[in-house]
Structures are given as C-alpha cells and as structure tokens.
Amino acid sequence: MRIEDEIKQPLFQDEHQKAHINLVYTAGWLQLRQAIAFKPFGLTLPQFNILRILRGQHPLPATVALLIDRMLDKTSNASRIVDRLEEKALVTRTVCPANRRAVDIRITQAGMDLLNRIEEAGIARCHGMSLLSAEEAHQLNTLLDKIRDED
Amino acid sequence: MRIEDEIKQPLFQDEHQKAHINLVYTAGWLQLRQAIAFKPFGLTLPQFNILRILRGQHPLPATVALLIDRMLDKTSNASRIVDRLEEKALVTRTVCPANRRAVDIRITQAGMDLLNRIEEAGIARCHGMSLLSAEEAHQLNTLLDKIRDED
DNA sequence: CAACATTAAATGTACCTACATAAATTTGCA
DNA sequence: TGCAAATTTATGTAGGTACATTTAATGTTG
C-alpha cells in the first residue's frame, strides 16, 4: 500500500518529505511485526537484542557500557532492560571483581535455550525485507547510509 | 557513516538483514534529531503531529478516532497525547453535541501560534533527507512501499 | 594521604507505545 | 419499549526512550 493511503494524506510537500514519513512509518511497521513475533516467547525486541549481544560475548561477561555501545538505541536504558532479563533468570548480574563499579552480565543456559528456540522458530528472520531483491536491499542500504552522512 | 560502524557489528547475514537494521536505525536517527529540534518549543513529536492534524481540520473539530486514523502510529494513545496538549492550552476538548460519546478536539489560537513559530524556525523541515536528490528520494519511496507490500 | 574529579551503574521523572479493559452513549432489533 | 450489541473515549498496566541526578568506586593530584 502506498504511504499516501496508509496515513490518508494525499499530498506531500515533495518527495523528500514523503520519504521521511515513509521511512519512519515503515520502520515502525517492521518493528511492530517483530514485536508481535517475539511476544509468545515473553521477550521484547530490546530484550532480545541484549540477549543476542550477551551470547556473542559468551563465555565472557558484558558490562552495561558494552551493551549500550552495541545497541541500536544508544540512549535506551540498558540497566532496566537487564533488570527484566534478570527477573526472568535469562541473565545474571555480578559485581565485576576487577572494577567494583562495573557489573558483569552473563547469559544463562535458560537464556541460551530461549534464543535457540526463537531462532528455530525462524522468528528472527527479516520479515518484509524478503520482498526486496538482493540488489534492491543493497540500493536501500546505500540510500539510508547517505541520509545519515551528516553525522 | 556505514551502518556496520555505527553499531560495531562488522558482518551481517545478508544484505536483507543489513537493510532491516539500517532502516530501523536510520528512522530512529531521524526521529531523535526531530525530537531534539522540538524540545525548545516544549513539544514532543506525537504532540506536534496531532497539532498539525488539528490545524488541517480547523475550524472543524476532530475526534480521537479521526486523530488515530491520520496518525503514523495507529496504536498510540491519542487520548493521552491530547491530555498533554490540553494541559498546555494548545487544544480544547468539548463533548460532541451530535454524538455525546465522541469528543470534539480543536486547536486553540495558542496552538496555531506555536505551530507558526515552529515553522518559521524551519524546524519541521526534513533534516537529513536533504542529502538525497529528488530522484533518490523517489527511489527510496518505491523501495519502502515495496517492503510493506504484504500488508 | 586527603580532596577532588571521573567513571559505571542505578534511579527518578516525563512521556511514549502496546494492549486489555472499563464506562458512557448510541444503535439495532425482538 | 427494552435490552443487547456496537461504538467512542478513557483508564490501567507493562515496558520502552530520553535525560537529569544520585551513589559508589576508582583515578588523580597537590
């Protein structure tokens, strides 16, 4: 469906404004679908992403600072997301012996098992993007990188 | 900056997964910049968007249902966003005489003035997108629409 | 060494989404 | 008419972002 019809706004100032709105709308569309897919596993998207980072580190621990560094959303509150994972016994938190200000965060076996079950279910695959050819996906990457070029 | 470097993940499964992450990341990047621009005016992005819809309706009122219909984020809670705008006296809420279940929401003069000041400041223009040519913006729109085609 | 600055994480606040449910009103129909 | 169903908004709860502040531990420096 064209973006015009999705949000019932028939005219945009120009192709740039339309692309801006389309980009934000489409990202939200993708994230909503992913969130719904994760719901049966009792995970939110940020929780899933942190679990994956922890698995990538395993058997080494991660600190909160490392999680923030690796996360898509740098300003999110990793500390409180880890709270929820800890409540569900998917991660452990221990004071780092080498630097007692820091906290060592590790994925548990239960966390590993959950990630495996999610991946076996094929949930983590990129829904939606499958309608693009590899060439189109590459084109999209190029355009997106260009948008952020002033960074 | 390439998305690989932004999130310190050197390798992706394929161009599709990369495009997915790139899309979500870039949308967040754009929205954060917009949110920062609105902050001096005491508005959040959803509040600004609702104010614009109300101006589009003016002098007719809008109902909550109409706002939801026009918003990018269909599942957002328009009712509570209107709460905040009402507290700031940027909108009014009156029971709709024709249908007393519904609520007539109208932008106030203060709301109009605020929108004008924001637009004079050029805040609402599409940051970032300006680095794309019109042709590229069009290409981007085509790709994004295609992603959501299974809708 | 003591005082101060810096760092790492946690916490508080405001506002947001997502979703379920409640409350009030209107509509439809036996 | 009367009552159930549908509609419209508001509210409750869980979890998220954004940002300022606090707390504890570590570095640094006179």
Side-chain angles (χ1 to χ4, degrees):
Chain A
M1 203 190 226
R2 291 179 322 146
I3 185 69
E4 285 90 331
D5 306 317
E6 302 267 16
I7 63 168
K8 295 172 182 66
Q9 182 178 336
L11 38 90
F12 292 96
Q13 277 168 30
D14 52 32
E15 208 68 19
H16 286 81
Q17 193 206 12
K18 184 165 141 185
H20 186 154
I21 290 170
N22 207 343
L23 179 52
V24 169
Y25 181 83
T26 304
W29 184 90
L30 279 172
Q31 287 186 287
L32 180 57
R33 294 167 72 88
Q34 270 212 304
I36 289 170
F38 282 121
K39 190 152 297 173
F41 298 93
L43 279 189
T44 65
L45 213 46
Q47 287 169 15
F48 173 73
N49 285 327
I50 282 192
L51 268 192
R52 268 207 302 203
I53 295 170
L54 290 174
R55 184 179 56 182
Q57 288 297 112
H58 189 266
L60 294 177
T63 61
V64 168
L66 182 142
L67 293 178
I68 292 172
D69 192 50
R70 295 268 201 291
M71 281 168 71
L72 282 192
D73 209 325
K74 306 295 185 201
T75 67
S76 94
N77 208 321
S79 190
R80 275 181 281 221
I81 298 174
V82 171
D83 284 350
R84 312 238 153 75
L85 292 172
E86 197 183 14
E87 284 163 17
K88 288 182 268 204
L90 301 174
V91 309
T92 60
R93 248 200 284 227
T94 54
V95 171
C96 171
N99 179 353
R100 303 201 7 229
R101 285 171 302 189
V103 168
D104 281 344
I105 303 162
R106 289 180 180 84
I107 187 170
T108 63
Q109 190 56 46
M112 288 288 210
D113 293 345
L114 181 56
L115 280 188
N116 287 334
R117 275 192 289 132
I118 288 175
E119 274 154 12
E120 276 164 24
I123 294 304
R125 255 183 278 290
C126 328
H127 304 290
M129 305 313 268
S130 51
L131 294 179
L132 299 187
S133 69
E135 172 55 36
E136 287 171 326
H138 179 72
Q139 221 174 50
L140 180 55
N141 276 313
T142 305
L143 291 171
L144 293 171
D145 286 351
K146 191 175 281 191
I147 290 171
R148 298 191 322 279
D149 237 6
E150 49 183 306
D151 208 10
Chain B
M1 203 190 228
R2 290 178 323 145
I3 184 69
E4 284 91 330
D5 306 318
E6 302 267 17
I7 64 166
K8 297 175 181 65
Q9 181 177 338
L11 38 90
F12 292 96
Q13 278 167 29
D14 52 33
E15 208 68 18
H16 287 81
Q17 194 205 12
K18 185 164 138 185
H20 187 154
I21 290 171
N22 206 343
L23 180 51
V24 169
Y25 182 81
T26 304
W29 184 89
L30 279 171
Q31 288 186 286
L32 180 56
R33 294 166 71 89
Q34 270 212 303
I36 288 169
F38 283 121
K39 191 152 297 174
F41 297 93
L43 278 190
T44 65
L45 213 46
Q47 287 169 17
F48 174 73
N49 286 326
I50 282 192
L51 268 193
R52 268 206 303 201
I53 294 170
L54 289 174
R55 184 179 55 182
Q57 288 296 113
H58 190 266
L60 294 177
T63 62
V64 168
L66 182 142
L67 293 179
I68 292 173
D69 193 50
R70 296 266 201 292
M71 281 169 72
L72 282 193
D73 210 325
K74 306 295 185 200
T75 66
S76 94
N77 209 321
S79 189
R80 274 180 281 223
I81 298 174
V82 171
D83 285 349
R84 311 240 153 74
L85 293 172
E86 197 183 15
E87 284 164 17
K88 287 182 269 204
L90 301 174
V91 309
T92 60
R93 248 201 284 228
T94 54
V95 171
C96 171
N99 178 353
R100 303 199 10 229
R101 285 170 303 190
V103 169
D104 281 344
I105 303 161
R106 287 181 181 82
I107 188 169
T108 63
Q109 189 57 48
M112 288 288 213
D113 294 346
L114 181 57
L115 280 188
N116 286 334
R117 275 193 287 130
I118 288 175
E119 273 153 14
E120 276 164 24
I123 293 304
R125 254 183 279 291
C126 328
H127 304 290
M129 305 312 269
S130 51
L131 294 180
L132 298 187
S133 69
E135 171 57 35
E136 286 170 326
H138 179 72
Q139 220 174 51
L140 181 55
N141 276 312
T142 305
L143 290 171
L144 293 171
D145 287 350
K146 190 174 281 191
I147 290 172
R148 298 190 323 278
D149 237 6
E150 47 182 308
D151 207 11

